[in-house]
Amino acid sequence: MEGRRYDRTPIPEDAGFQRAANFGEVLHAYTKEEAIVEAQRCLQCAMPYCVQACPINQDCRGYIGLIAQQRFDDAARLTLQENPLATVLCKTCYHYCEEDCIMGERGVPIAIRHLKRAALEFGRSDLLYVPSAPRHKRVAIIGGGPTGLMAAWELGVRGYSVSVFEAQPFLGGEVETIPRYHLDGDELDTDLARYKNLDVTFLLGKRAGAELTPEKLLQDGYAAVLVAVGASDPKLLGLPGEELPGVFPALPFLLAVNKGPEGLFGRKRRTIVVIGGGDVAFDAARSSRRRSKDGSVTVVYRKTRTEMPAGEEEVTEAVEEGIHFLFERAPVRILGAGHVEGIVVQRTEVGPPDAKGRRPVVPVAGSEETIPCDTVILAVGEKANLEGFPEELDLRITAQGWPQGKGADWMTDVEGVFAAGGKSIVYAMGAGTAAALAIEAYLVKKAGETPPPRPDPFGGPDSPKLPEGYGGPTWQL
Ligand SMILES: Cc1cc2nc3c(=O)[nH]c(=O)nc-3n(C[C@H](O)[C@H](O)[C@H](O)COP(=O)(O)OP(=O)(O)OC[C@H]3O[C@@H](n4cnc5c(N)ncnc54)[C@H](O)[C@@H]3O)c2cc1C
Ligand code: SF4
Ligand code: SF4
């Protein structure tokens, strides 16, 4: 079509040298005009791959179409009616939708995530969710991360009475470790404020386990229990020297950076090595760069750059911020007397295929080298802390570390106890929805009823709609 724009309306961003000096947000909002121009690029596909790719099937085509028509209030309502953590997601989601956006085939995908932010910032987003008629049934959720919060919302709007037991004195789970240059820290409160009228009670500082078991909760009158404890205990490598002062697992490090002005090591000049190549490693590297302005940060990863699991955006921004890299190196031991003084790494290469045809990474003999440093941050994965949980649950632990129910019904071996989690915020929310639906199906079946349709979470009959036959903008702007 004449006038079709394949390039994205640029997202305002601070320069690398500027942003490495502070924790201010890296990406800035579109203006209203920029948002409309970007939304008008959308083709309003009859088969929206973007919606299919989203783990909560957010109607992004819908809110983009409404923005293109300058209907920001409707765009905000449409976004929030199926996405209760939208303020968090509009800055942090790994935007799976954009990977499948058809515009990516010819040019740059629509900025779907950033337009969600425009919908919420320019539209009326201070709305309140409305519960359906009370169902007179209580559900307990263990864990106040995205899985638990989404399940609480799904059940809350359906009229259930929900108690969320959270071990920490705050909600959000791993969301609380996301660096402030991505998320300035108030977004979760903004989202949770909309839960106000739902019958959802948050019990903070309540760790489930030996004394507060899922079975005990069932005995106490809860009709079902969802275990949504995530995988937030850091894994260690078992390297000699790992116990030395100056070695930090990434998660507690990131949490301390967010919660205290000086983080774990203050604003000192440090020589830092980060082990790992995932998004968490990059969060740790970029945060420590900001905490130690005149120091240096090197990411050590055991495979090549192309095999690194971290998102391309993270890697590009880290390079711009002056982070160094050492690829195809594995850590061997950490050196130091009383404090970290260096780390010994070894070259790696791809070895011969194993019985299953996989080619593991193997160390190259005689290739050890020492990197002098005073800080080592380990970002090599996480696991669930299931201390005190009874064995009868026989929880299935996923490869990424969180417990999950066994079959399609998300139930564990104990009747009425479910378990779920996810690899990112929106995947965890998708799992929270699936588990909540499974809980509702279980409860209504037990009562000999049929599950009612999903109510409108704002208590009204209608959601914002585009005009009949609306097939995209007319490219007038
Ligand atoms: C540093 C970091 C950065 C990330 N950045 C992003 C990002 O930018 N975008 C993205 O989409 N995803 C990101 N993720 C991943 C995302 O945060 C997780 O996938 C998501 O939070 C998982 O949600 P969850 O609710 O299943 O688990 P969690 O978030 O881990 O929440 C589980 C909750 O359960 C609580 N809990 C644990 N045990 C108990 C118990 N016994 N009793 C009571 N409560 C308990 C925990 O305290 C926690 O609050 C990041 C993760 C990390 C670690
Ligand atoms: S152009 Fe992209 S964002 Fe728009 S409807 Fe099609 S797939 Fe979705
Ligand atoms: S929640 Fe994430 S994946 Fe879903 S539409 Fe929004 S940005 Fe895309």
Side-chain angles (χ1 to χ4, degrees):
M1 187 194 285
E2 188 87 19
R4 175 79 65 226
R5 287 182 298 271
Y6 292 107
D7 285 339
R8 179 176 283 187
T9 311
I11 296 175
E13 186 177 357
D14 285 344
F17 70 90
Q18 240 176 337
R19 60 178 191 246
N22 61 66
F23 277 85
E25 278 188 62
V26 170
L27 301 181
H28 300 288
Y30 278 145
T31 61
K32 233 178 186 178
E33 292 68 30
E34 286 169 336
I36 295 165
V37 168
E38 178 62 9
Q40 292 210 338
R41 289 204 309 127
C42 170
L43 305 177
Q44 291 292 302
C45 305
M47 173 64 79
Y49 295 127
C50 51
V51 179
Q52 286 179 5
C54 171
I56 54 168
N57 296 132
Q58 167 100 77
D59 184 4
C60 43
R61 175 185 61 176
Y63 72 66
I64 294 169
L66 291 164
I67 293 174
Q69 294 198 331
Q70 312 190 26
R71 291 166 58 191
F72 283 93
D73 284 350
D74 285 344
R77 190 186 188 281
L78 186 68
T79 303
L80 293 168
Q81 92 181 8
E82 49 197 12
N83 185 348
L85 304 182
T87 320
V88 169
L89 278 179
C90 74
K91 296 181 179 178
T92 56
C93 187
Y94 295 138
H95 46 71
Y96 306 97
C97 50
E98 293 177 23
E99 277 161 40
D100 282 18
C101 168
I102 203 82
M103 284 295 272
E105 286 185 12
R106 289 276 202 90
V108 186
I110 306 297
I112 303 174
R113 183 186 74 186
H114 216 57
L115 286 174
K116 198 191 309 293
R117 178 170 174 175
L120 299 180
E121 289 189 0
F122 299 122
R124 252 207 91 188
S125 56
D126 58 340
L127 304 167
L128 289 177
Y129 293 120
V130 178
S132 304
R135 305 295 295 272
H136 305 295
K137 285 204 168 66
R138 295 159 71 210
V139 177
I141 296 179
I142 301 173
T147 305
L149 295 176
M150 185 69 170
W153 176 78
E154 287 283 358
L155 293 164
V157 295
R158 285 171 162 77
Y160 290 92
S161 173
V162 183
S163 306
V164 178
F165 295 86
E166 169 52 56
Q168 297 283 358
F170 49 81
L171 292 166
E174 289 174 35
V175 172
E176 289 302 294
T177 59
I178 297 178
R180 294 289 180 247
Y181 54 84
H182 283 314
L183 202 61
D184 71 23
D186 296 330
E187 294 84 351
L188 187 65
D189 289 344
T190 303
D191 282 333
L192 293 181
R194 296 187 202 97
Y195 283 46
K196 195 174 145 222
N197 291 340
L198 304 183
D199 187 0
V200 175
T201 309
F202 297 114
L203 298 142
L204 302 182
K206 292 271 182 211
R207 176 172 287 280
E211 293 189 356
L212 193 67
T213 62
E215 279 108 324
K216 171 98 180 27
L217 290 165
L218 291 176
Q219 284 157 16
D220 286 351
Y222 287 98
V225 179
L226 172 63
V227 179
V229 295
S232 43
D233 261 21
K235 279 188 193 159
L236 298 175
L237 289 171
L239 300 176
E242 225 169 45
E243 71 296 340
L244 282 168
V247 179
F248 303 101
L251 255 56
F253 168 74
L254 288 165
L255 194 60
V257 169
N258 279 353
K259 299 284 177 196
E262 295 305 314
L264 276 181
F265 58 69
R267 292 174 192 279
K268 293 188 192 127
R269 190 177 190 281
R270 293 262 185 168
T271 308
I272 300 154
V273 167
V274 178
I275 306 291
D279 287 309
V280 176
F282 277 78
D283 285 342
R286 296 178 65 193
S287 294
S288 46
R289 177 95 184 89
R290 286 160 170 80
R291 273 277 175 258
S292 170
K293 270 193 298 197
D294 304 318
S296 80
V297 183
T298 305
V299 171
V300 173
Y301 180 56
R302 64 196 187 95
K303 295 186 183 175
T304 62
R305 172 172 174 160
T306 47
E307 291 164 291
M308 209 157 49
E312 195 48 46
E313 238 170 70
E314 281 291 328
V315 182
T316 309
E317 290 182 354
V319 171
E320 288 168 5
E321 289 167 13
I323 304 229
H324 306 288
F325 295 89
L326 208 50
F327 294 111
E328 297 178 286
R329 302 289 197 290
V332 178
R333 60 186 169 278
I334 300 168
L335 306 174
H339 198 280
V340 173
E341 288 166 15
I343 181 163
V344 178
V345 297
Q346 192 170 21
R347 277 189 66 85
T348 60
E349 63 182 14
V350 178
D354 62 17
K356 288 188 176 154
R358 289 176 307 210
R359 304 194 64 193
V361 170
V362 293
V364 177
S367 64
E368 289 188 0
E369 58 191 298
T370 299
I371 313 171
C373 62
D374 52 35
T375 307
V376 173
I377 300 180
L378 298 170
V380 290
E382 292 84 40
K383 57 183 168 45
N385 177 348
L386 295 174
E387 212 183 299
F389 277 84
E391 280 184 11
E392 302 84 74
L393 286 177
D394 196 18
L395 291 170
R396 182 169 75 84
I397 307 296
T398 60
Q400 292 103 327
W402 61 83
Q404 194 152 292
K406 292 218 162 103
D409 66 358
W410 300 79
M411 214 189 284
T412 63
D413 279 357
V414 174
E415 190 188 324
V417 180
F418 298 74
K423 66 177 179 180
S424 66
I425 299 169
V426 71
Y427 265 100
M429 290 168 66
T433 290
L437 296 184
I439 289 172
E440 162 140 278
Y442 163 72
L443 294 177
V444 295
K445 190 173 168 199
K446 226 174 144 182
E449 301 162 359
T450 44
R454 188 192 215 181
D456 177 81
F458 294 116
D462 289 322
S463 52
K465 293 215 171 36
L466 287 161
E468 201 64 41
Y470 176 70
T474 48
W475 311 98
Q476 295 295 317
L477 268 191

